[in-house]
DNA sequence: CATGAATGAGCCTTCATTCAT
DNA sequence: TATGAATGAAGGCTCATTCAT
């Protein structure tokens, strides 16, 4: 029963996070009222404050939670790749796009709110986002030590550039809310540009 | 005197835009009070409403004005480039970074607020931003017709990816407010990745 | 407890209406701040917006509520009158004056704000006021079918004239805030003028 | 030339009063902006403050000016009446309605703003309005000394009642903006009610 | 006298947060 | 835990008034 109660607790917390994600994706952090989140989550306004310190904290927790999910997913997929580093990069890019299709709200939320939050939500540094970038960096590093990727490129710069490129393309996809039938092709092309761009010859 | 009056009018309008840019860069659109903009601009609160319909309109006007400036600047620089398409792309990238150093507030404003505004500021489509992207697209198109750039890449995708990469790298630069001593090197590397990535072989 | 909660709700709504009545009577609608109403009612500013859409809505609701009260009161008194139609008219006039003495704020509010509101408060038609007039009209109609009142007078015109006369006299009474010791006599005289003026001979 | 200048001055003052009358009739005192009055009058905002101390003063001046006009007109017409006191009363009533048809804006202005102003415009007592009432009172007084009107009615009460009745009926006429084809008949009926109501038998 | 750009005090309304139940 | 009515600080915007030209 202690278990059940805890479950009920976490289940409600999760409901709130989902409501917040939906609401933030639809209207943005600053245009979303706490009462709207509550109503999306099917709880009372005050209940939110039992699980989160305030609206900022809710946003931060949402980042933590969802980024953690993305990181785990990315890591798992990368581990499963048979091929070399370039294949892993292709895999990461494809996964990025796939997730955006599966989780429209999440994609919209991250592409739009990540930057604001980095600066204006009470000094929050978004460490999970840096974890995500680090995975990409490590991929590059592996490629460099294997001689597959040019040794003179700045790993962090490449990782950031890649994330930026993916993020911007996704932004367009999610904002247009087009079914985006050619996501696969877009993924292939971005992957090609970056792999060709950094490959050692 | 008609001249003088017009000048006074536009001069005050420009002061307000500058104040808004400074304030938005520092605290973000939603955390900036109209009275703060007024005080930055050295005018009374009410004066702002003589030149702009409301706070949203001020943001939009700021985009229009500053993007126009960026576009003109980019076009001028590109026209002055002697070399081929790839040199022009390198030039565009370098300029992007240079401007970010010279106009920190502008860089911060655009990297952080562009996305929010695209979605949440009253249906504003930000047409100037699309003009900016189109310049990059046309560059790619020229390269393709000259056979310098692979014909199978989606021009719009490349333009967006490039902008996204530049924007994200800039974001880090501006947020860290590091003097960024190695901007030149970063520009060179991003340019290399993209040119190598799309060049025809 | 559901009962209690409902009571608390309506009780607070009523407190706000009372505060508004007091404030409007004292300073007029346009010179009364919402915060003053709140303080008269002993609630927070924001609380008012839990019960009313905005300041206009508060004014309208006040009319609805108080006119309903007046109408009920008038109807009850008229039903209790033993005599004929002319006696009922005398009763209506007397009641009008009596209420003005008992409910100074209400009298002041209605005499002064009714006209403004009719035109300038967002298209509000003040249907209750017309209900009130209709009672007077019906009284005249009864008198006409009984042959007590001349058949050639326009019932609506008489009703309006009577209301106008009463209202104007009341205005003076309430504005002067004189104790008005001779209200009975005034009521008698107005009643005499109107009954003599419309009686069939 | 001094004459001309003075004329220009008074002409502009009159233009402003006319603009104010039009604007107040249309939107009411509190909903009319000084700039709207200026634009109606075809002068600059600031110009208004050369002729009137402030917005309140403009309203008061408008009352003074227009009431004076009405009083003169009424007095002239009454002096021209050949018949007795009752005929004069009929004449006053008819004139009241006639003016309302000819000067819709003025009628609307007075019926709606007179009461507000009496209380809320800086203690203004509206002496001209009392002058107007006094003319009616004197009429009654004359009738009483001639034995045509009952000696026991309160002159001031009758005057007020009559004004209230006329005012209320006019209010309906002006608000409905109906062409009011039967004004003559309405005038006749109100006159009949009041004369029959106060006549000595 | 006339102008109208500029001012800034003031007000309605919103909404994150609290707390009695 | 959960609720949601109540709070009140805060901010966008208006508009009467001023004053340099």
């Amino acid at each position: 029963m202690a278990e059940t109660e805890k479950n009920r607790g976490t289940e409600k917390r999760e409901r709130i996070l989902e409501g917040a994600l939906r609401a933030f994706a639809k209207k943005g952090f600053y245009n979303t009222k706490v009462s709207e989140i509550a109503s999306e989550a099917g709880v009372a306004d005050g209940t939110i404050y039992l699980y989160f310190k305030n609206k900022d904290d809710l946003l931060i927790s949402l980042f933590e939670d969802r980024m953690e999910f993305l990181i785990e997913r990315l890591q798992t997929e990368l581990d499963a790749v048979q091929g070399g580093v370039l294949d892993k990069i292709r895999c990461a890019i494809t996964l990025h796009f796939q997730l955006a299709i599966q989780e429209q709200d999440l994609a919209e939320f991250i592409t739009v709110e990540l930057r604001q939050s980095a600066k204006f939500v009470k000094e929050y540094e978004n460490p999970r986002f840096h974890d995500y970038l680090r995975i990409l960096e490590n991929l590059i590093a592996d490629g460099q030590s294997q001689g597959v990727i040019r040794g003179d490129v700045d790993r962090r710069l490449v990782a950031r550039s890649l994330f930026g490129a993916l993020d911007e393309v996704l932004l367009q996809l999610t904002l247009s809310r087009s079914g985006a039938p050619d996501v696969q092709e877009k993924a292939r092309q971005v992957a090609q540009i970056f792999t060709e761009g950094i490959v050692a010859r």
Side-chain angles (χ1 to χ4, degrees), chain A:
Chain A
M1 161 156 174
E3 183 71 343
T4 310
E5 255 182 28
K6 189 182 157 237
N7 279 350
R8 259 205 296 153
T10 48
E11 185 240 341
K12 194 154 281 190
R13 191 188 131 99
E14 177 54 26
R15 281 227 315 272
I16 294 169
L17 287 173
E18 275 165 20
L21 177 57
R22 232 171 2 249
F24 291 160
K26 211 188 305 164
K27 315 182 63 176
F29 177 72
Y30 288 104
N31 291 307
T32 298
K33 296 172 223 171
V34 171
S35 67
E36 288 171 347
I37 297 171
S39 125
E40 282 275 357
V43 300
D45 294 17
T47 305
I48 288 178
Y49 291 85
L50 296 175
Y51 294 92
F52 304 95
K53 201 148 44 56
N54 51 38
K55 198 184 168 192
D56 280 7
D57 181 43
L58 177 50
L59 179 70
I60 290 171
S61 302
L62 190 54
F63 271 123
E64 297 287 318
D65 190 277
R66 293 310 192 254
M67 290 302 294
E68 212 150 340
F69 161 74
L70 290 178
I71 287 166
E72 253 172 56
R73 182 76 183 276
L74 177 60
Q75 200 55 263
T76 310
E77 297 270 345
L78 288 182
D79 291 347
V81 171
Q82 302 289 345
V85 163
L86 295 184
D87 288 319
K88 290 197 176 202
I89 290 178
R90 283 186 205 101
C91 166
I93 292 171
T94 304
L95 179 64
H96 205 103
F97 280 99
Q98 271 176 359
L99 281 171
I101 300 303
Q102 287 163 28
E103 311 259 358
Q104 288 252 350
D105 283 342
L106 182 53
E108 201 148 337
F109 168 65
I110 286 182
T111 51
V112 174
E113 304 295 335
L114 190 57
R115 297 185 166 200
Q116 289 275 344
S117 71
K119 255 188 83 62
F120 302 120
V121 181
K122 299 264 187 66
E123 315 290 294
Y124 173 56
E125 279 296 323
N126 213 331
R128 297 290 164 257
F129 171 58
H130 290 103
D131 293 345
Y132 191 91
L133 278 184
R134 205 159 307 125
I135 294 181
L136 296 181
E137 284 173 37
N138 291 339
L139 226 48
I140 314 290
D142 290 350
Q144 288 179 315
S145 54
Q146 288 167 27
V148 185
I149 292 175
R150 290 204 312 275
D152 65 326
V153 294
D154 177 340
R155 301 191 300 264
R156 308 187 62 184
L157 182 68
V158 174
R160 275 216 173 249
S161 300
L162 178 53
F163 178 81
L166 293 173
D167 204 38
E168 180 71 37
V169 173
L170 268 189
L171 177 67
Q172 187 192 20
L173 283 176
T174 54
L175 290 195
S176 68
R177 288 269 182 190
S178 67
D182 53 350
V183 179
Q184 292 295 341
E185 172 57 14
K186 282 191 203 293
R188 202 193 56 75
Q189 288 212 12
V190 175
Q192 188 179 24
I193 294 169
F194 269 84
T195 50
E196 291 284 323
I198 59 180
V199 77
R201 293 179 202 283

